[in-house]
Amino acid sequence: MHNDLKYLQVSIEDGIGTILLNRPNVLNAINRPMVSEIVHVMEEMDQNENVKVIVLGGVGRAFAAGADIDEMAEATPLQLELLNQFSEWDRISLVKKPIIGAVQGFALGGGFELALCCDILFAAHDAEFGFPEIQLGVMPGAGGTQRLTKLMGKTKAMEWLLSGDRMSVEEALNYGVINRIVARELLIDETKKFAIKISKQAPLSLRLIKESVLKAVDYSLYEGMQFERKNFYLLFASDDQKEGMKAFQERRKPNFKGR
Ligand code: CAA
Protein backbone atom coordinates (compact mmCIF):
# COMPACT_ATOMS: atom_id res chain seq x y z
CA MET A 1 0.00 0.00 0.00
CA HIS A 2 1.20 3.53 -0.85
CA ASN A 3 4.41 2.33 -2.47
CA ASP A 4 4.14 5.16 -4.96
CA LEU A 5 4.51 7.95 -2.40
CA LYS A 6 7.53 10.17 -2.97
CA TYR A 7 7.33 12.60 -0.08
CA LEU A 8 5.63 10.69 2.74
CA GLN A 9 6.13 7.64 4.93
CA VAL A 10 2.76 6.08 5.68
CA SER A 11 1.69 3.21 7.92
CA ILE A 12 -1.48 1.86 9.50
CA GLU A 13 -1.30 -0.02 12.79
CA ASP A 14 -3.54 -0.46 15.86
CA GLY A 15 -6.24 1.72 14.30
CA ILE A 16 -3.82 4.62 13.80
CA GLY A 17 -2.88 5.95 10.38
CA THR A 18 0.55 7.57 10.60
CA ILE A 19 1.75 10.04 7.98
CA LEU A 20 5.33 11.33 8.20
CA LEU A 21 6.57 14.11 5.92
CA ASN A 22 9.67 12.69 4.31
CA ARG A 23 12.01 15.22 2.66
CA PRO A 24 14.48 15.47 5.52
CA ASN A 25 17.33 16.87 3.36
CA VAL A 26 15.30 20.10 2.97
CA LEU A 27 13.72 19.98 6.45
CA ASN A 28 10.50 18.61 4.93
CA ALA A 29 9.88 21.77 2.89
CA ILE A 30 6.36 21.39 1.53
CA ASN A 31 6.11 21.39 -2.26
CA ARG A 32 2.91 21.00 -4.24
CA PRO A 33 3.25 17.23 -4.88
CA MET A 34 3.76 16.71 -1.12
CA VAL A 35 0.51 18.58 -0.37
CA SER A 36 -1.29 16.41 -2.96
CA GLU A 37 0.09 13.28 -1.32
CA ILE A 38 -0.94 14.45 2.18
CA VAL A 39 -4.47 15.25 1.01
CA HIS A 40 -4.79 12.02 -0.96
CA VAL A 41 -3.58 9.81 1.92
CA MET A 42 -5.67 11.63 4.52
CA GLU A 43 -8.84 11.34 2.43
CA GLU A 44 -8.13 7.66 1.91
CA MET A 45 -7.58 7.13 5.64
CA ASP A 46 -10.80 9.03 6.32
CA GLN A 47 -12.65 6.32 4.36
CA ASN A 48 -10.61 3.39 5.71
CA GLU A 49 -12.39 1.64 8.57
CA ASN A 50 -9.07 0.33 9.90
CA VAL A 51 -8.07 3.93 10.69
CA LYS A 52 -9.72 5.64 13.66
CA VAL A 53 -7.25 8.49 14.24
CA ILE A 54 -4.55 10.06 12.06
CA VAL A 55 -1.10 11.04 13.35
CA LEU A 56 0.91 13.58 11.33
CA GLY A 57 4.64 14.05 11.93
CA GLY A 58 7.94 14.53 10.16
CA VAL A 59 11.07 12.48 9.43
CA GLY A 60 14.40 14.00 10.52
CA ARG A 61 15.16 17.12 12.52
CA ALA A 62 12.10 19.19 11.52
CA PHE A 63 8.34 18.85 11.24
CA ALA A 64 8.43 21.19 8.21
CA ALA A 65 10.40 24.38 7.57
CA GLY A 66 7.68 25.88 5.40
CA ALA A 67 6.47 25.83 1.86
CA ASP A 68 9.22 25.01 -0.63
CA ILE A 69 10.87 28.37 -1.33
CA ASP A 70 12.71 27.04 -4.40
CA GLU A 71 9.41 26.00 -5.95
CA MET A 72 7.88 29.44 -5.28
CA ALA A 73 10.76 31.84 -5.84
CA GLU A 74 10.10 32.58 -9.54
CA ALA A 75 6.31 32.26 -9.47
CA THR A 76 4.07 34.97 -10.92
CA PRO A 77 0.75 35.97 -9.35
CA LEU A 78 -1.09 34.58 -12.36
CA GLN A 79 0.61 31.19 -12.06
CA LEU A 80 -0.35 31.04 -8.39
CA GLU A 81 -3.92 32.07 -9.16
CA LEU A 82 -4.26 29.55 -11.99
CA LEU A 83 -2.69 26.76 -9.93
CA ASN A 84 -5.02 27.79 -7.12
CA GLN A 85 -1.95 27.19 -5.00
CA PHE A 86 -3.50 26.70 -1.58
CA SER A 87 -6.93 25.27 -2.40
CA GLU A 88 -5.77 21.69 -1.83
CA TRP A 89 -4.82 22.59 1.74
CA ASP A 90 -8.50 23.34 2.47
CA ARG A 91 -9.30 19.67 2.02
CA ILE A 92 -7.20 18.79 5.09
CA SER A 93 -9.67 20.63 7.30
CA LEU A 94 -12.53 18.61 5.79
CA VAL A 95 -11.09 15.33 7.08
CA LYS A 96 -13.59 13.91 9.60
CA LYS A 97 -11.28 11.77 11.71
CA PRO A 98 -9.16 13.39 14.44
CA ILE A 99 -5.68 14.44 13.29
CA ILE A 100 -2.98 14.57 15.97
CA GLY A 101 0.22 16.40 15.05
CA ALA A 102 3.64 15.43 16.41
CA VAL A 103 6.05 18.36 15.97
CA GLN A 104 9.80 18.20 16.41
CA GLY A 105 12.24 20.92 15.36
CA PHE A 106 10.96 23.60 13.01
CA ALA A 107 7.28 24.16 12.22
CA LEU A 108 7.66 27.34 10.19
CA GLY A 109 5.47 29.09 7.63
CA GLY A 110 3.51 26.43 5.76
CA GLY A 111 4.83 23.90 8.32
CA PHE A 112 3.17 25.87 11.11
CA GLU A 113 0.04 26.20 8.98
CA LEU A 114 -0.02 22.43 8.51
CA ALA A 115 0.39 21.95 12.27
CA LEU A 116 -2.50 24.36 12.83
CA CYS A 117 -4.69 22.11 10.65
CA CYS A 118 -4.26 19.36 13.26
CA ASP A 119 -6.88 18.93 15.98
CA ILE A 120 -4.41 18.22 18.78
CA LEU A 121 -0.68 18.95 18.84
CA PHE A 122 2.11 17.26 20.76
CA ALA A 123 5.55 18.86 20.47
CA ALA A 124 9.09 17.91 21.45
CA HIS A 125 11.23 20.22 23.59
CA ASP A 126 13.17 21.32 20.51
CA ALA A 127 10.08 22.36 18.53
CA GLU A 128 9.94 25.96 17.29
CA PHE A 129 6.93 27.59 15.65
CA GLY A 130 6.86 30.75 13.59
CA PHE A 131 5.87 32.64 10.47
CA PRO A 132 9.10 33.84 8.82
CA GLU A 133 7.27 34.84 5.61
CA ILE A 134 7.65 38.51 6.54
CA GLN A 135 11.41 38.07 6.16
CA LEU A 136 10.87 36.75 2.62
CA GLY A 137 8.78 39.73 1.54
CA VAL A 138 5.56 37.72 1.53
CA MET A 139 3.02 36.57 4.10
CA PRO A 140 1.33 33.34 5.18
CA GLY A 141 -1.02 32.07 2.48
CA ALA A 142 -2.37 28.76 3.78
CA GLY A 143 -4.35 30.01 6.76
CA GLY A 144 -1.65 31.34 9.11
CA THR A 145 -3.08 34.83 9.69
CA GLN A 146 -6.56 33.40 10.22
CA ARG A 147 -5.94 30.28 12.28
CA LEU A 148 -3.32 31.81 14.59
CA THR A 149 -5.55 34.83 15.24
CA LYS A 150 -8.59 32.68 16.00
CA LEU A 151 -6.43 30.59 18.32
CA MET A 152 -4.60 33.25 20.34
CA GLY A 153 -6.45 36.51 19.63
CA LYS A 154 -5.54 39.54 17.54
CA THR A 155 -2.92 41.19 19.73
CA LYS A 156 -0.72 38.16 20.29
CA ALA A 157 -1.08 36.87 16.73
CA MET A 158 0.03 40.29 15.42
CA GLU A 159 3.22 40.06 17.43
CA TRP A 160 4.25 36.69 16.00
CA LEU A 161 3.11 37.37 12.44
CA LEU A 162 4.66 40.84 12.16
CA SER A 163 7.97 39.97 13.85
CA GLY A 164 8.56 36.55 12.27
CA ASP A 165 10.03 35.53 15.65
CA ARG A 166 10.11 31.88 16.61
CA MET A 167 7.90 30.64 19.42
CA SER A 168 9.34 28.09 21.86
CA VAL A 169 7.34 25.07 23.01
CA GLU A 170 6.82 26.69 26.40
CA GLU A 171 5.33 29.78 24.71
CA ALA A 172 3.28 27.60 22.36
CA LEU A 173 1.89 25.67 25.34
CA ASN A 174 1.18 28.90 27.18
CA TYR A 175 -0.77 30.31 24.20
CA GLY A 176 -2.78 27.12 23.72
CA VAL A 177 -1.13 26.40 20.36
CA ILE A 178 -0.02 22.94 21.52
CA ASN A 179 -1.48 20.47 23.97
CA ARG A 180 1.61 18.80 25.41
CA ILE A 181 5.41 18.92 25.49
CA VAL A 182 7.03 15.51 25.11
CA ALA A 183 10.65 14.30 25.14
CA ARG A 184 12.01 14.19 21.56
CA GLU A 185 12.76 10.46 21.62
CA LEU A 186 9.25 9.66 22.86
CA LEU A 187 7.34 12.06 20.60
CA ILE A 188 5.89 9.64 18.06
CA ASP A 189 5.27 6.89 20.63
CA GLU A 190 3.51 9.23 23.06
CA THR A 191 1.45 10.78 20.26
CA LYS A 192 0.41 7.32 19.04
CA LYS A 193 -0.39 6.23 22.59
CA PHE A 194 -2.75 9.19 22.94
CA ALA A 195 -4.19 8.50 19.47
CA ILE A 196 -4.88 4.88 20.48
CA LYS A 197 -6.65 6.08 23.64
CA ILE A 198 -8.92 8.36 21.57
CA SER A 199 -9.45 5.62 18.99
CA LYS A 200 -11.26 3.49 21.60
CA GLN A 201 -14.04 6.09 21.90
CA ALA A 202 -17.30 5.76 19.98
CA PRO A 203 -16.32 6.58 16.36
CA LEU A 204 -19.48 8.54 15.52
CA SER A 205 -19.08 10.65 18.66
CA LEU A 206 -15.46 11.38 17.70
CA ARG A 207 -16.58 12.44 14.27
CA LEU A 208 -19.41 14.71 15.36
CA ILE A 209 -17.52 16.24 18.29
CA LYS A 210 -14.64 17.17 15.96
CA GLU A 211 -17.06 18.68 13.47
CA SER A 212 -18.89 20.62 16.19
CA VAL A 213 -15.71 22.03 17.75
CA LEU A 214 -14.51 23.21 14.33
CA LYS A 215 -17.85 24.94 13.78
CA ALA A 216 -17.35 26.86 17.04
CA VAL A 217 -14.51 28.69 15.28
CA ASP A 218 -16.72 29.84 12.40
CA TYR A 219 -20.23 30.07 13.78
CA SER A 220 -21.93 32.40 16.25
CA LEU A 221 -22.66 30.82 19.64
CA TYR A 222 -26.31 30.42 18.69
CA GLU A 223 -25.60 28.73 15.34
CA GLY A 224 -22.95 26.55 16.95
CA MET A 225 -25.36 25.44 19.68
CA GLN A 226 -27.98 24.50 17.06
CA PHE A 227 -25.35 22.52 15.13
CA GLU A 228 -24.21 20.74 18.30
CA ARG A 229 -27.78 19.90 19.33
CA LYS A 230 -28.67 18.34 15.98
CA ASN A 231 -25.54 16.18 16.17
CA PHE A 232 -26.46 15.15 19.73
CA TYR A 233 -29.90 14.10 18.53
CA LEU A 234 -28.41 12.32 15.51
CA LEU A 235 -26.28 10.08 17.74
CA PHE A 236 -29.50 8.62 19.16
CA ALA A 237 -29.97 6.98 15.76
CA SER A 238 -26.80 4.93 16.37
CA ASP A 239 -26.38 1.45 17.86
CA ASP A 240 -23.40 2.85 19.78
CA GLN A 241 -25.63 5.20 21.80
CA LYS A 242 -27.80 2.23 22.83
CA GLU A 243 -24.70 0.15 23.56
CA GLY A 244 -22.91 2.93 25.49
CA MET A 245 -25.84 3.67 27.77
CA LYS A 246 -26.75 -0.01 28.24
CA ALA A 247 -23.14 -0.82 29.14
CA PHE A 248 -23.24 1.94 31.77
CA GLN A 249 -26.39 0.48 33.27
CA GLU A 250 -24.95 -3.06 33.20
CA ARG A 251 -21.65 -1.84 34.74
CA ARG A 252 -19.53 -3.14 31.86
CA LYS A 253 -17.31 -1.68 29.14
CA PRO A 254 -19.11 -0.68 25.93
CA ASN A 255 -18.34 -2.41 22.66
CA PHE A 256 -18.60 0.34 20.05
CA LYS A 257 -19.09 -0.52 16.38
CA GLY A 258 -19.16 2.89 14.74
CA ARG A 259 -22.76 2.67 13.60
N1 CAA B 1 12.11 25.68 1.24
C1 CAA B 1 13.11 25.08 0.55
N2 CAA B 1 14.23 24.59 1.13
C2 CAA B 1 14.35 24.73 2.45
C3 CAA B 1 13.37 25.36 3.23
C4 CAA B 1 12.19 25.84 2.57
N3 CAA B 1 11.19 26.41 3.24
N4 CAA B 1 13.77 25.37 4.52
C5 CAA B 1 14.97 24.74 4.56
N5 CAA B 1 15.33 24.36 3.31
C6 CAA B 1 16.55 23.66 2.91
C7 CAA B 1 17.75 24.59 2.90
O1 CAA B 1 17.82 25.31 1.69
C8 CAA B 1 18.88 23.60 3.05
O2 CAA B 1 19.13 22.99 1.81
P1 CAA B 1 20.66 22.70 1.34
O3 CAA B 1 21.20 21.73 2.36
O4 CAA B 1 20.50 22.13 -0.03
O5 CAA B 1 21.35 24.02 1.40
C9 CAA B 1 18.29 22.53 3.97
O6 CAA B 1 16.88 22.70 3.90
C10 CAA B 1 18.72 22.68 5.42
O7 CAA B 1 18.43 24.02 5.81
P2 CAA B 1 19.52 25.00 6.47
O8 CAA B 1 20.90 24.63 6.03
O9 CAA B 1 19.06 26.40 6.21
O10 CAA B 1 19.36 24.61 8.02
P3 CAA B 1 19.56 25.56 9.28
O11 CAA B 1 19.43 24.70 10.48
O12 CAA B 1 20.78 26.39 9.13
O13 CAA B 1 18.31 26.57 9.22
C11 CAA B 1 15.98 27.16 9.03
C12 CAA B 1 17.02 26.07 9.39
C13 CAA B 1 16.10 28.31 10.02
C14 CAA B 1 14.61 26.52 9.12
C15 CAA B 1 16.25 27.68 7.60
O14 CAA B 1 16.40 26.57 6.71
C16 CAA B 1 15.16 28.57 7.06
O15 CAA B 1 15.10 29.73 7.42
N6 CAA B 1 14.28 28.01 6.18
C17 CAA B 1 13.20 28.76 5.58
C18 CAA B 1 12.06 28.98 6.55
C19 CAA B 1 10.97 29.80 5.91
O16 CAA B 1 11.16 30.94 5.54
N7 CAA B 1 9.75 29.22 5.80
C20 CAA B 1 8.60 29.90 5.21
C21 CAA B 1 8.47 29.53 3.76
S1 CAA B 1 7.22 30.47 2.91
C22 CAA B 1 5.76 29.72 3.32
O17 CAA B 1 5.71 28.74 4.04
C23 CAA B 1 4.51 30.36 2.73
C24 CAA B 1 3.19 29.81 3.15
O18 CAA B 1 2.44 30.46 3.87
C25 CAA B 1 2.71 28.51 2.71
Side-chain angles (χ1 to χ4, degrees):
M1 184 197 178
H2 296 311
N3 292 334
D4 51 340
L5 295 171
K6 205 167 161 204
Y7 299 110
L8 304 180
Q9 272 181 20
V10 170
S11 59
I12 297 175
E13 201 184 356
D14 300 328
I16 310 305
T18 303
I19 302 171
L20 300 179
L21 312 182
N22 188 21
R23 282 186 93 195
N25 54 332
V26 285
L27 304 179
N28 297 331
I30 305 167
N31 57 10
R32 281 193 300 274
M34 185 197 271
V35 176
S36 297
E37 289 190 1
I38 296 169
V39 169
H40 175 75
V41 172
M42 279 196 181
E43 287 179 346
E44 211 173 85
M45 287 182 173
D46 216 18
Q47 296 298 325
N48 183 339
E49 58 180 33
N50 296 321
V51 176
K52 311 284 183 221
V53 177
I54 297 168
V55 166
L56 178 65
V59 171
R61 72 180 165 105
F63 176 74
D68 188 330
I69 296 171
D70 296 330
E71 187 186 61
M72 279 184 301
E74 302 302 328
T76 68
L78 260 191
Q79 282 167 342
L80 296 177
E81 166 63 23
L82 294 173
L83 278 168
N84 206 356
Q85 172 89 359
F86 294 123
S87 64
E88 255 194 321
W89 290 67
D90 297 341
R91 286 162 57 189
I92 298 171
S93 42
L94 298 178
V95 170
K96 302 272 188 176
K97 290 177 183 165
I99 305 171
I100 309 189
V103 176
Q104 82 277 8
F106 301 109
L108 302 177
F112 194 4
E113 288 169 313
L114 189 59
L116 289 172
C117 290
C118 296
D119 302 307
I120 289 177
L121 276 179
F122 281 20
H125 289 278
D126 70 345
E128 289 184 75
F129 302 84
F131 284 113
E133 284 90 339
I134 192 139
Q135 290 143 10
L136 296 170
V138 288
M139 61 181 283
T145 62
Q146 305 303 298
R147 286 207 168 91
L148 194 69
T149 306
K150 295 207 182 223
L151 198 59
M152 57 168 57
K154 179 196 123 184
T155 316
K156 291 186 199 113
M158 282 286 188
E159 179 185 339
W160 294 103
L161 286 155
L162 296 181
S163 68
D165 285 348
R166 289 193 217 138
M167 195 186 293
S168 68
V169 268
E170 290 78 16
E171 286 166 319
L173 187 66
N174 195 19
Y175 291 131
V177 170
I178 61 171
N179 296 72
R180 228 170 263 190
I181 303 174
V182 181
R184 174 72 184 89
E185 62 279 12
L186 298 177
L187 179 65
I188 284 291
D189 285 351
E190 287 293 312
T191 310
K192 281 191 187 170
K193 216 190 280 175
F194 185 77
I196 289 173
K197 180 171 144 182
I198 291 187
S199 73
K200 308 282 184 221
Q201 310 292 354
L204 291 170
S205 301
L206 278 181
R207 183 183 179 99
L208 296 185
I209 289 171
K210 168 169 173 168
E211 204 178 5
S212 301
V213 172
L214 291 181
K215 289 289 186 238
V217 180
D218 290 337
Y219 282 12
S220 69
L221 180 61
Y222 179 78
E223 290 169 306
M225 300 273 285
Q226 303 311 306
F227 187 83
E228 177 193 73
R229 199 158 302 161
K230 291 281 187 249
N231 284 331
F232 178 82
Y233 299 154
L234 181 60
L235 288 173
F236 282 74
S238 70
D239 293 345
D240 283 353
Q241 175 269 325
K242 305 284 176 287
E243 166 63 9
M245 295 196 174
K246 197 159 164 238
F248 172 80
Q249 291 171 330
E250 293 173 357
R251 306 289 182 260
R252 62 173 173 82
K253 281 202 163 161
N255 178 19
F256 292 126
K257 297 263 178 9
R259 54 175 192 262

